[in-house]
Amino acid sequence: MSSAESQQEQLSQSDPSPSPNSCSSFELLDMDAGSLYEPVSPHWFYCKIIDSKETWIPFNSEDSQQLEEAYGSGKNCDGRVVPTDGGRYDVHLGERMRYAVYWDELASEVRRCTWFYKGDKDNKYVPYSESFSQVLEETYMLAVTLDEWKKKLESPNREIIILHNPKLMVHYQPVAGSDEWGSTPTEQGRPRTVKRGVENISVDIHCGEPLQIDHLVFVVHGIGPACDLRFRSIVQCVNDFRSVSLNLLQTHFKKAQENQQIGRVEFLPVNWHSPLHSTGVDVDLQRITLPSINRLRHFTNDTILDVFFYNSPTYCQTIVDTVASEMNRIYTLFLQRNPDFKGGVSIAGHSLGSLILFDILTNQKDSLGDMDNEKDAPNIVMDQGDTLTLEEDLKKLQLSEFFSVFEKEKVDKEALALCTDKDLQEMGIPLGPRKKILNYFRTRKSLMDINRPTLQPASGVTVSNIPKESGVCSKTDATGNGDYLHVGIGQVSVKYPRLIYKPEIFFAFGSPIGMFLTVRGLKRIDPNYKFPTCKGFFNIYHPFDPVAYRIEPMVVPGVEFEPMLIPHHKGRKRMHLELREGLTRMSMDLKNNLLGSLRMAWKSFTRAPYPALQASETTEETEAECESSSEKLSDVNTEETSVAVKEEVPPINVGMLNGGQRIDYVLQEKPIESFNEYLFALQSHLCYWESEDTVLLVLKEIYQTQGIFLDQPLQ
């Protein structure tokens, strides 16, 4: 590049006027235009496996710029870590790998991309490797500088790339098993488009997220490993929830953003399904599962049985321990990575996850200073009834190949129970087996704790002799021991761990809390009851959600009233709901008018005849009667209408569970959903992750605690 341009500059400086033997001025201008070369602008991508296919996704513009700056800083990239995606992932620049920070996820490859070719089926562009992209760039530079095209290159995978001109560059895939006639690769397969630079391909590159984090929300999933109809994990669904929140902040909190009053809300997933099913219970279930209808039985074991696991003292302990310890661990790690964070924390649960959080919150203590530090104590004692050897335990976990490692290190069962994740890592145990082993021994410890004798309420009250009208009326039991729920709630006897923070608001999506409390024998929640450490509680549900139940009728059982209707995020009711209400109001008006006309006609028929001589005297009286009757009728109609309006928003006291505010909030169904409730029932239970109305309510309530409100209040 430099040699050709310098020669041309020297030529133009030594002899500015063209000689008869030199090129014409038009040819010189042509050569100058052709020799202009601009370096390509790189963009960083990472690879994700989606539906068993590799998909390359671009980093947002801010993250890509940070990676490029770190790459071009001149320092050694080995050991260089760049946080991306709002701090939820770390990119190890030397390894070119991207690791999740707060949850377990397979590491993904990272690539500095400059050249792309169109893929096989989905027409998405795939980046070339960094080394081959450099070869392509050097070839392109020479072609542009010397204006010599028709360049042919062969990639390490025997792919042929031909640079015809700056606008036309093609890629030929190698065909397996070349024929005996020795045909050239350019004659084989269909040519694919080659593009230089990310600006020439169709890909969405988002702007970065605000650096300031105002609030942290932990999101706990429900039953099963999949959280929506696309069988996506809790991490992917929470990613959608977060993306919707970022969009709504730009549209509904625009003034606060412009005044730099707010940043964003961080949503982090909490996974308890994987630790539960890595305890070895799946192996036990597989032994007793019938071989027929295999897929349905696998779905039952992997998903439906989570409800039964939570009602088992053994596995309920594992679930609540996992949820609480994960939230505490993530919170501690979050503070380490965000030392300037001064915001509050809220929690959200979907389906069974909301019930888990409800039970944990019900069993918290008022003061965080009274929290016991049992979870930090290293003295783990094995269950006395446990007679399995270490080798048998590892075999049960399908980890027999690691027995020799423990035998070499002279680690027996008691020693292994004392090992930390770091100890196992130093022994060379991979991440997956480490998690299985640690969770297994944590479960064994929980079993031992449950089997120990515990203090019972001094009154000796049992569920059978508690009045049916009893509520969740106390924060601790009769002995003052806050580890157990009041026996009146009918919950299984487990030890509930402490949270190291006080949640500000608890959001429940599609929650069966009301049903579970009723099944446990609870008929009424004391209006004065509130969570010991959490001020707010919102029960959000879709009207067709088959799993969702209301809470307010348990607080005020004698009154029938509608839940609060969540406004549409565009500031109005959906059209079909407005039409339905309009028709209802019109039919009520028609009915009142018709009844009024019938009454008037009936009175005119049944009125006694007056003598002719008294007609003049009684005319005024008759008119007065008609006027008074019409006034009465109009008064009745006005009263009925006003009563109907008043019934829409009744002044109901729903107790202190949400600080005196309403608890039940219902979404507006879409027009197509109103045609058939049963058809959209399952989808309604899984709709919350991408529901703008749900996310906006969450944001509105969170920011209200900070004195920040929507730009325009929703009607």
Side-chain angles (χ1 to χ4, degrees):
M1 173 185 105
S2 57
S3 61
E5 287 181 344
S6 60
Q7 287 175 7
Q8 189 175 337
E9 287 175 2
Q10 290 174 4
L11 180 63
S12 60
Q13 289 173 1
S14 61
D15 189 9
S17 59
S19 64
N21 297 327
S22 65
C23 300
S24 67
S25 59
F26 294 105
E27 289 175 342
L28 281 174
L29 287 172
D30 228 0
M31 183 183 293
D32 289 340
S35 62
L36 289 177
Y37 166 78
E38 293 183 2
V40 65
S41 299
H43 195 93
W44 291 75
F45 282 66
Y46 61 93
C47 181
K48 293 282 287 183
I49 306 298
I50 301 176
D51 296 332
S52 304
K53 293 187 300 183
E54 285 189 356
T55 303
W56 287 91
I57 303 171
F59 284 97
N60 64 57
S61 52
E62 289 186 8
D63 288 344
S64 181
Q65 186 177 350
Q66 284 187 356
L67 290 167
E68 186 62 23
E69 288 174 358
Y71 173 80
S73 62
K75 299 178 182 178
N76 187 7
C77 289
D78 293 338
R80 191 77 183 270
V81 178
V82 180
T84 61
D85 300 276
R88 295 181 295 276
Y89 288 88
D90 281 341
V91 172
H92 293 234
L93 213 56
E95 302 175 23
R96 293 290 197 275
M97 297 298 287
R98 173 177 176 265
Y99 297 93
V101 173
Y102 298 108
W103 55 83
D104 292 333
E105 184 180 310
L106 290 175
S108 49
E109 182 187 351
V110 172
R111 192 175 289 181
R112 182 176 181 264
C113 305
T114 52
W115 285 77
F116 307 84
Y117 68 93
K118 191 170 283 190
D120 281 335
K121 299 172 184 176
D122 51 8
N123 287 331
K124 290 184 179 179
Y125 281 91
V126 180
Y128 289 104
S129 66
E130 291 186 36
S131 57
F132 189 65
S133 292
Q134 190 173 355
V135 174
L136 282 168
E137 184 64 19
E138 290 172 356
T139 307
Y140 178 84
M141 180 187 68
L142 289 173
V144 171
T145 306
L146 303 175
D147 197 21
E148 295 179 0
W149 295 94
K150 303 289 184 183
K151 299 282 186 180
K152 183 187 295 186
L153 295 92
E154 185 174 347
S155 73
N157 298 330
R158 296 187 57 81
E159 299 163 337
I160 300 299
I161 294 90
I162 302 176
L163 310 182
H164 291 286
N165 57 57
K167 301 291 184 184
L168 180 60
M169 296 174 281
V170 292
H171 169 114
Y172 291 92
Q173 288 279 80
V175 177
S178 59
D179 55 17
E180 298 176 357
W181 300 98
S183 56
T184 60
T186 55
E187 298 170 345
Q188 298 174 349
R190 183 180 177 183
R192 300 179 188 174
T193 309
V194 175
K195 294 289 183 181
R196 175 180 178 265
V198 72
E199 63 275 4
N200 292 318
I201 66 173
S202 55
V203 63
D204 292 330
I205 299 177
H206 301 285
C207 299
E209 302 174 10
L211 295 177
Q212 176 186 336
I213 300 176
D214 305 317
H215 204 86
L216 175 63
V217 181
F218 294 114
V219 184
V220 181
H221 65 86
I223 61 172
C227 295
D228 66 357
L229 289 176
R230 288 176 278 176
F231 297 98
R232 297 185 304 166
S233 67
I234 179 64
V235 173
Q236 294 169 301
C237 290
V238 172
N239 286 345
D240 275 353
F241 202 87
R242 188 187 306 109
S243 298
V244 173
S245 76
L246 291 173
N247 293 333
L248 289 174
L249 285 175
Q250 294 176 359
T251 55
H252 290 72
F253 293 87
K254 195 172 183 180
K255 293 179 182 176
Q257 277 196 336
E258 290 173 352
N259 298 332
Q260 296 183 346
Q261 292 178 288
I262 63 172
R264 64 184 175 92
V265 177
E266 180 62 282
F267 297 90
L268 295 178
V270 177
N271 182 8
W272 55 266
H273 180 269
S274 300
L276 170 67
H277 287 263
S278 63
T279 57
V281 65
D282 286 353
V283 179
D284 297 336
L285 283 172
Q286 192 59 39
R287 286 202 304 266
I288 60 175
T289 301
L290 301 182
S292 58
I293 51 174
N294 185 41
R295 291 185 181 180
L296 181 58
R297 294 187 192 279
H298 174 74
F299 173 77
T300 303
N301 291 349
D302 202 35
T303 302
I304 306 297
L305 287 189
D306 285 351
V307 179
F308 298 97
F309 283 140
Y310 189 66
N311 285 297
S312 155
T314 303
Y315 296 106
C316 180
Q317 186 70 60
T318 302
I319 292 171
V320 295
D321 282 347
T322 302
V323 171
S325 63
E326 272 295 285
M327 289 196 294
N328 288 340
R329 178 189 68 82
I330 295 173
Y331 180 68
T332 305
L333 182 58
F334 179 83
L335 291 183
Q336 290 174 1
R337 294 175 64 90
N338 301 273
D340 298 330
F341 176 71
K342 298 293 187 294
V345 184
S346 293
I347 54 179
H350 175 242
S351 190
L352 184 64
S354 63
L355 178 67
I356 298 168
L357 293 176
F358 181 87
D359 289 339
I360 291 175
L361 287 179
T362 308
N363 288 273
Q364 296 300 295
K365 289 183 178 178
D366 284 319
S367 174
L368 291 178
D370 297 335
M371 287 168 29
D372 57 87
N373 296 320
E374 290 180 6
K375 62 180 184 305
D376 297 328
N379 53 338
I380 299 175
V381 185
M382 297 304 298
D383 186 5
Q384 295 178 354
D386 186 13
T387 56
L388 296 178
T389 64
L390 177 59
E391 187 176 6
E392 290 171 337
D393 276 332
L394 292 174
K395 186 177 180 181
K396 184 177 181 181
L397 295 174
Q398 298 179 336
L399 300 174
S400 302
E401 64 269 24
F402 298 107
F403 178 69
S404 57
V405 177
F406 297 125
E407 197 173 27
K408 181 182 176 182
E409 297 288 339
K410 296 184 178 179
V411 175
D412 58 7
K413 201 166 182 178
E414 283 189 6
L416 185 56
L418 299 173
C419 287
T420 63
D421 184 78
K422 188 177 180 182
D423 296 331
L424 296 178
Q425 189 175 6
E426 289 175 354
M427 292 184 206
I429 309 296
L431 176 63
R434 287 205 309 270
K435 293 291 183 184
K436 283 188 176 183
I437 292 169
L438 291 172
N439 194 69
Y440 177 75
F441 279 93
R442 189 161 55 237
T443 307
R444 302 306 302 172
K445 177 182 177 294
S446 302
L447 278 172
M448 176 212 66
D449 289 340
I450 292 171
N451 291 331
R452 284 177 181 170
T454 55
L455 294 175
Q456 296 298 325
S459 60
V461 186
T462 59
V463 178
S464 58
N465 55 27
I466 285 183
K468 288 186 178 180
E469 295 298 323
S470 65
V472 189
C473 52
S474 66
K475 300 169 188 174
T476 57
D477 58 22
T479 63
N481 180 11
D483 290 342
Y484 296 91
L485 248 152
H486 193 285
V487 280
I489 235 180
Q491 171 63 307
V492 291
S493 179
V494 296
K495 186 174 182 179
Y496 287 92
R498 302 283 165 254
L499 301 178
I500 60 176
Y501 55 87
K502 289 186 176 182
E504 293 189 4
I505 307 175
F506 168 36
F507 299 99
F509 306 139
S511 173
I513 291 173
M515 180 269 290
F516 270 86
L517 293 180
T518 303
V519 169
R520 290 172 184 175
L522 190 75
K523 267 199 167 184
R524 185 172 178 270
I525 297 176
D526 190 338
N528 297 320
Y529 176 77
K530 57 184 178 182
F531 294 123
T533 59
C534 183
K535 298 176 183 177
F537 175 37
F538 290 85
N539 181 37
I540 302 167
Y541 61 91
H542 190 283
F544 303 155
D545 188 340
V547 180
Y549 289 81
R550 291 191 62 184
I551 297 292
E552 290 173 341
M554 297 189 71
V555 183
V556 193
V559 184
E560 290 187 7
F561 54 97
E562 295 295 320
M564 289 292 289
L565 187 68
I566 299 176
H568 192 270
H569 65 281
K570 292 184 179 178
R572 56 169 177 77
K573 283 187 180 179
R574 293 186 184 272
M575 190 65 69
H576 68 289
L577 294 180
E578 290 181 352
L579 183 62
R580 185 189 302 167
E581 287 184 2
L583 291 174
T584 306
R585 196 178 297 112
M586 188 186 301
S587 64
M588 186 179 293
D589 292 343
L590 286 172
K591 183 180 75 172
N592 291 336
N593 291 335
L594 181 62
L595 288 175
S597 302
L598 289 174
R599 284 173 188 168
M600 291 291 292
W602 180 254
K603 283 183 179 179
S604 64
F605 282 125
T606 56
R607 186 181 296 122
Y610 292 99
L613 293 176
Q614 298 176 355
S616 58
E617 300 175 4
T618 57
T619 303
E620 295 178 359
E621 295 177 6
T622 309
E623 289 177 354
E625 283 180 6
C626 292
E627 286 177 4
S628 64
S629 63
S630 63
E631 284 175 5
K632 285 179 182 177
L633 186 61
S634 64
D635 290 342
V636 169
N637 291 341
T638 341
E639 285 176 6
E640 287 180 358
T641 313
S642 62
V643 166
V645 172
K646 285 179 184 176
E647 283 178 357
E648 290 180 5
V649 188
I652 299 294
N653 178 17
V654 292
M656 298 305 297
L657 199 53
N658 192 22
Q661 299 181 55
R662 294 293 299 272
I663 300 170
D664 293 336
Y665 287 79
V666 61
L667 292 166
Q668 302 179 40
E669 74 271 16
K670 297 177 182 177
I672 192 173
E673 293 173 343
S674 60
F675 285 111
N676 192 320
E677 299 178 1
Y678 296 95
L679 190 61
F680 294 94
L682 181 59
Q683 179 180 329
S684 299
H685 183 58
L686 306 171
C687 73
Y688 305 98
W689 308 116
E690 300 178 44
S691 166
E692 292 95 340
D693 300 349
T694 303
V695 179
L696 187 58
L697 177 63
V698 171
L699 293 176
K700 180 173 76 75
E701 295 301 329
I702 285 174
Y703 278 112
Q704 272 185 2
T705 62
Q706 304 176 17
I708 297 170
F709 302 92
L710 294 168
D711 293 341
Q712 293 181 350
L714 300 177
Q715 298 298 325

